[in-house]
Amino acid sequence: MTSSSVTGLWKKLSNKFSKPTQYAPPSATIIPRDEHCVSRKHINDAAIKVIRRLNEEGFDAYLVGGGVRDLLLGGQPKDFDIATNATPEQVRGAFRNSRIIGRRFRIVHVRFGSEIIEVTTFRGGHDAPSTSASNNVQRNKHSARTESGMLTRDNVYGSVNEDAARRDLTINALYYSSRDFCVYDYVGGMRDLEQKLIRIIGDPETRYREDPVRMLRVVRFAAKLNFDIEQHTEEPLKRLAPLLTDISAARMFDEVIKLLMSGQGLQTYALMQRYGLFSPLFPSTQKMLNQHEPAAETIIQQGLINTDARIAENKPVTPAFIYAVILWPVVKRIHKEILDSGVPEIPALHQAAERVLRKQQLTVAIPKRFSLPMRDIWELQSRLTRRSGKRAELLLDHRYFRAGFDFLLLREQAGEIEPGLGQWWLAFQEAHIDTRGAMLTQIPASDDKPRTSRRRRSPRKPR
């Protein structure tokens, strides 16, 4: 839908909206087929099959969330999610190719080959739960929340209008029905699409306390869509940012990937810094940034610029690289401290990496399938400076050579090291084997010496 058509539609509907209520708006504004651009031909076949099957089983089912939002904005969604009044067990019974996942909020994954359609049951409001004095957690049969208000279990089911009120952002609470081809808007999502606003549904502080990750979603969608953040949605962000420390480190890993590897990493990072959302995730790196280390800020920004560019060009990216960039300033500082104590260069780097990664696991748990390549990328920074003999040829066969080489180029771009080494390695990769030999003979001897530090000897005891 073009900007002008959205504007025209909003003029027709503007008098029907007031400020979104916090829970369970009584009815939807229905946008008929001839007044929106969502079409079944733009919707994934698997998603249509899921909706049709649920309808045939007697259940309501809608395309919801980002799929509807992106189609209304004229884009092509990557994911198509379904909301229904069928329980997870009923959805599971309708699809043999499905499984129920999740504990905090149970959902069903319906698999079609390598493709997965996510199906959620309409969520409802929460009754006042009982309080367990032993752990300061409020509970009832289907929900639980901590003393601070964070939901740790959220399996209260309700109606479609309750479900809309329980979603996070107005622009993600639009529903499309393939029965009547209408879009249903319960909370003013069409208005905010037209006004390019990110607005949380309900009271922002309450919703952030229920799930602090919603603060990250606010900045992620603001960066992704280039929307402004609505005033009341924005106000508590910096004040409540420390609540992110209550989120499990494992969940945070996935959230960081969504934040920094979606193609708008630099803009997302800038918003995270503005609202204090980066510090709870990467406290050691933020400590260095607070000390106004220009090299640390520069290499992180350049790393995000490069990652955004690769994504725009449909080139592969790996979480290992961006995590290596974010933690490198801390690794480099600790490496220097260990070197100065007399430990040789490579063992000192191993120790530094171990200390940094162990501490980082407390806030963002990085799986070994990424932390091990990160260590190799960091170690290659020392090995790439030593090129004599067969070392250079052997390094070309290293499984993470390309990532280490890209990291070296990044350090040169950021001004952390003098330019030249990256260009040499680029030429060496492209050179004929005979030319490579000549290149190796021209390396200054001083450039190939690893840094060593004398161990401090204890004074000899007098005889």
Side-chain angles (χ1 to χ4, degrees):
M1 182 177 287
T2 64
S3 176
S4 59
S5 59
V6 173
T7 302
L9 178 57
W10 169 239
K11 289 178 179 178
K12 294 181 181 181
L13 303 176
S14 59
N15 292 331
K16 298 183 180 181
F17 289 114
S18 57
K19 183 178 179 180
T21 53
Q22 292 185 21
Y23 293 100
S27 61
T29 295
I30 302 174
I31 299 108
R33 174 66 187 92
D34 59 353
E35 294 183 10
H36 68 75
C37 63
V38 179
S39 172
R40 282 185 302 172
K41 67 182 181 181
H42 298 137
I43 300 174
N44 182 287
D45 288 342
I48 293 293
K49 289 178 182 177
V50 171
I51 293 174
R52 184 180 296 124
R53 172 73 66 82
L54 289 171
N55 289 161
E56 290 171 352
E57 294 285 329
F59 300 111
D60 295 330
Y62 300 85
L63 182 69
V64 67
V68 181
R69 178 200 68 225
D70 290 346
L71 287 171
L72 286 168
L73 291 173
Q76 182 57 46
K78 293 182 179 179
D79 301 306
F80 293 90
D81 298 334
I82 309 300
T84 179
N85 60 348
T87 66
E89 291 76 16
Q90 289 170 326
V91 176
R92 176 72 181 87
F95 298 95
R96 296 173 58 186
N97 53 325
S98 66
R99 66 189 183 105
I100 299 174
I101 67 166
R103 182 174 178 273
R104 178 179 172 274
F105 182 63
R106 300 170 76 219
I107 61 178
V108 182
H109 279 177
V110 183
R111 182 180 291 277
F112 295 86
S114 61
E115 189 172 9
I116 292 176
I117 301 298
E118 188 171 286
V119 182
T120 60
T121 302
F122 296 149
R123 284 176 287 183
H126 290 258
D127 296 328
S130 60
T131 301
S132 169
S134 61
N135 56 8
N136 291 324
V137 174
Q138 295 179 315
R139 298 181 185 277
N140 62 27
K141 184 177 180 181
H142 302 291
S143 68
R145 71 174 75 220
T146 65
E147 194 174 41
S148 66
M150 184 175 73
L151 287 168
T152 56
R153 186 164 65 248
D154 187 8
N155 292 301
V156 178
Y157 304 136
S159 61
V160 61
N161 57 334
E162 289 178 300
D163 185 72
R166 290 288 301 146
R167 290 186 176 268
D168 52 4
L169 306 176
T170 59
I171 61 172
N172 291 339
L174 295 163
Y175 297 72
Y176 171 78
S177 170
S178 63
R179 279 177 167 169
D180 58 12
F181 316 122
C182 293
V183 172
Y184 290 74
D185 181 3
Y186 292 86
V187 290
M190 287 298 298
R191 170 193 58 198
D192 290 334
L193 279 182
E194 190 276 328
Q195 295 181 350
K196 300 185 182 298
L197 277 180
I198 300 296
R199 185 195 308 269
I200 202 156
I201 300 168
D203 175 63
E205 180 158 345
T206 300
R207 303 308 304 282
Y208 294 151
R209 289 188 179 278
E210 286 178 348
D211 184 2
V213 168
R214 286 178 178 139
M215 293 185 283
L216 299 179
R217 286 174 61 81
V218 164
V219 299
R220 175 159 67 91
F221 283 110
K224 175 182 178 179
L225 301 174
N226 196 26
F227 280 17
D228 294 325
I229 302 175
E230 184 268 334
Q231 179 183 354
H232 295 93
T233 301
E234 177 185 42
E235 186 278 325
L237 288 175
K238 197 162 190 175
R239 175 165 47 86
L240 299 181
L243 292 176
L244 288 169
T245 57
D246 295 335
I247 303 299
S248 73
R251 185 183 177 195
M252 274 304 181
F253 172 80
D254 292 328
E255 293 301 327
V256 171
I257 298 305
K258 295 175 186 175
L259 287 161
L260 301 182
M261 298 186 65
S262 60
Q264 297 83 25
L266 183 64
Q267 177 64 12
T268 305
Y269 170 73
L271 290 175
M272 291 174 72
Q273 286 292 352
R274 179 187 301 176
Y275 299 116
L277 300 170
F278 185 82
S279 181
L281 278 60
F282 299 99
S284 297
T285 303
Q286 187 63 54
K287 184 177 180 181
M288 288 196 64
L289 295 171
N290 291 344
Q291 294 169 355
H292 303 292
E293 293 279 351
E297 185 71 60
T298 302
I299 198 165
I300 291 173
Q301 291 187 6
Q302 190 62 54
L304 292 169
I305 290 170
N306 291 3
T307 299
D308 289 347
R310 289 185 67 85
I311 293 171
E313 297 169 6
N314 292 318
K315 293 181 178 179
V317 293
T318 171
F321 190 86
I322 198 63
Y323 275 103
V325 170
I326 292 172
L327 296 177
W328 172 248
V330 188
V331 170
K332 189 173 66 167
R333 170 175 285 187
I334 295 178
H335 182 218
K336 182 179 183 304
E337 293 172 357
I338 298 173
L339 273 175
D340 291 344
S341 72
V343 178
E345 184 173 13
I346 296 300
L349 184 58
H350 292 168
Q351 291 180 33
E354 177 63 28
R355 283 168 56 179
V356 171
L357 287 169
R358 190 189 317 121
K359 189 173 182 180
Q360 183 59 45
Q361 300 294 343
L362 300 176
T363 55
V364 179
I366 305 173
K368 281 190 175 180
R369 67 182 185 276
F370 297 120
S371 65
L372 292 178
M374 289 166 62
R375 294 170 187 262
D376 281 334
I377 290 171
W378 291 332
E379 182 181 326
L380 280 166
Q381 302 314 295
S382 294
R383 297 180 64 185
L384 286 168
T385 64
R386 295 181 234 163
R387 298 162 285 171
S388 64
K390 296 182 179 180
R391 289 173 178 167
E393 289 281 2
L394 292 174
L395 277 184
L396 291 180
D397 295 328
H398 193 289
R399 59 178 176 169
Y400 294 116
F401 170 81
R402 185 68 206 187
F405 170 67
D406 288 344
F407 199 89
L408 180 72
L409 294 178
L410 171 63
R411 293 171 64 207
E412 287 191 356
Q413 286 179 296
E416 182 182 304
I417 57 176
E418 292 294 325
L421 186 59
Q423 185 59 43
W424 186 92
W425 275 105
L426 181 62
F428 189 74
Q429 294 174 69
E430 298 174 348
H432 187 271
I433 188 168
D434 296 332
T435 309
R436 287 178 179 177
M439 291 178 67
L440 292 173
T441 62
Q442 298 172 8
I443 298 172
S446 59
D447 288 356
D448 198 48
K449 291 181 179 179
R451 176 176 173 178
T452 57
S453 299
R454 291 178 176 268
R455 291 186 178 272
R456 296 176 181 174
R457 295 183 178 180
S458 302
R460 293 184 177 181
K461 295 181 180 180
R463 294 182 179 180

